[in-house]
Amino acid sequence: SRSLSLSVQPPAELPLRSTVQHMHRLRTAAMSLVHEADKRRFALYLNTEASPAFVEYELQDNVMDLYHTFTPPELRGQGCAEKVVTAACEYIQKEGMTMVPTCSYISGSFLQKHPEFASLVRPKE
């Protein structure tokens, strides 16, 4: 019998910790992260059967209010919320917008873990 060895190269911009997680997930699930503008959310689908993890938002005057993050029970503990919120923050950054992190996950643990996105938070008036 022949043995087949595959080498998966993650995107170069991922830090080492994310690279290991990224490679693990590539082997275990098909992943699709999409901006569903019609539903005002960023969603992460890990396979065709599971409901997506997502972050919902309201958009007004170039300010995105990230008000709700949800991960289905079967996807919890895999970094799904972090991935969708990171995608939303990268979008906000790219579009030159600011954000209001109404969701407690984002205003708490996410921004503590990702200080690189703190400058996107709209100053309180």
Side-chain angles (χ1 to χ4, degrees):
S1 78
R2 292 190 298 175
S3 125
L4 178 63
S5 175
L6 294 176
S7 174
V8 177
Q9 293 298 320
E13 69 274 12
L14 289 174
L16 183 58
R17 183 181 65 237
S18 295
T19 301
V20 172
Q21 294 168 347
H22 176 75
M23 291 172 69
H24 173 71
R25 287 200 187 87
L26 280 178
R27 287 194 297 269
T28 58
M31 184 171 64
S32 175
L33 208 161
V34 292
H35 180 194
E36 298 175 332
D38 58 323
K39 295 180 180 178
R40 293 190 305 268
R41 72 182 189 178
F42 291 83
L44 176 67
Y45 295 89
L46 284 184
N47 59 51
T48 54
E49 281 108 51
S51 299
F54 58 83
V55 58
E56 294 176 307
Y57 65 85
E58 291 292 333
L59 183 61
Q60 185 174 1
D61 299 328
N62 225 25
V63 178
M64 189 175 280
D65 179 356
L66 302 174
Y67 69 88
H68 179 67
T69 304
F70 175 76
T71 302
E74 66 272 15
L75 299 179
R76 291 182 185 158
Q78 300 178 54
C80 294
E82 182 178 8
K83 285 189 184 323
V84 293
V85 175
T86 297
C89 289
E90 288 172 350
Y91 178 84
I92 291 165
Q93 201 167 40
K94 186 179 105 200
E95 297 297 317
M97 302 186 325
T98 57
M99 74 169 167
V100 177
T102 303
C103 170
S104 59
Y105 163 70
I106 300 168
S107 63
S109 60
F110 179 82
L111 285 174
Q112 286 176 358
K113 190 173 180 181
H114 293 277
E116 68 271 22
F117 296 124
S119 63
L120 300 176
V121 176
R122 183 178 187 190
K124 292 190 178 10
E125 297 174 352

